[in-house]
């Protein structure tokens, strides 16, 4: 069974990945794919939205003769991630009460 993923959950997953280290779009896609199926056409609009919202910033770096765009989490992004983690914990706890009682 597969559960639908909301935009806010996908935003939180991307922010969590980028919070660990500055990274680039393809790598973010690969990391997200470890927990859910996502296409490039889904992920890049998420990155653009997080940039527009001030949650991420970018810098370009030459790698093997090519320019690679790296994403960096901002203080606003860290605050949004902290809120999402708090919301996720409350949501998870409420679902587990239904599944497992308590």
């Amino acid at each position: 069974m597969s559960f639908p993923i909301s935009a806010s959950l996908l935003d939180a997953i991307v922010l969590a990945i980028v919070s660990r280290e500055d990274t680039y779009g393809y790598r973010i896609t690969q990391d997200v794919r470890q927990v859910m199926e996502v296409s490039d056409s889904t992920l890049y609009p998420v990155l653009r939205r997080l940039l527009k919202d001030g949650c991420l910033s970018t810098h370009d770096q030459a790698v093997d003769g090519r320019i690679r765009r790296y994403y960096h989490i901002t203080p606003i992004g860290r605050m949004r991630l902290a809120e999402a983690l708090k919301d996720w914990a409350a949501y998870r706890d409420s679902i587990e009460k239904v599944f497992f009682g308590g």
Side-chain angles (χ1 to χ4, degrees):
M1 179 188 309
S2 175
F3 297 100
I5 302 298
S6 69
S8 58
L9 181 56
L10 186 53
D11 287 359
I13 290 168
V14 169
L15 289 171
I17 290 167
V18 178
S19 74
R20 292 191 288 271
E21 66 178 330
D22 290 3
T23 190
Y24 52 97
Y26 178 76
R27 177 72 185 265
I28 295 168
T29 302
Q30 296 308 305
D31 289 347
V32 170
R33 285 182 179 156
Q34 291 180 13
V35 295
M36 71 179 68
E37 186 56 39
V38 63
S39 67
D40 292 346
S41 63
T42 299
L43 184 67
Y44 282 97
V46 170
L47 290 170
R48 282 193 296 275
R49 181 176 60 250
L50 291 171
L51 279 166
K52 185 181 99 161
D53 291 348
C55 296
L56 297 176
S57 63
T58 62
H59 66 277
D60 294 339
Q61 182 176 330
V63 176
D64 296 329
R66 298 178 59 197
I67 299 297
R68 185 178 282 169
R69 174 153 293 159
Y70 281 81
Y71 294 86
H72 172 81
I73 193 167
T74 65
I76 292 170
R78 288 193 186 282
M79 288 189 321
R80 185 175 294 176
L81 176 58
E83 290 170 9
L85 291 173
K86 187 174 75 172
D87 291 346
W88 174 255
Y91 177 75
R92 181 198 62 223
D93 291 348
S94 66
I95 294 296
E96 286 182 354
K97 283 179 187 175
V98 173
F99 285 168
F100 306 113

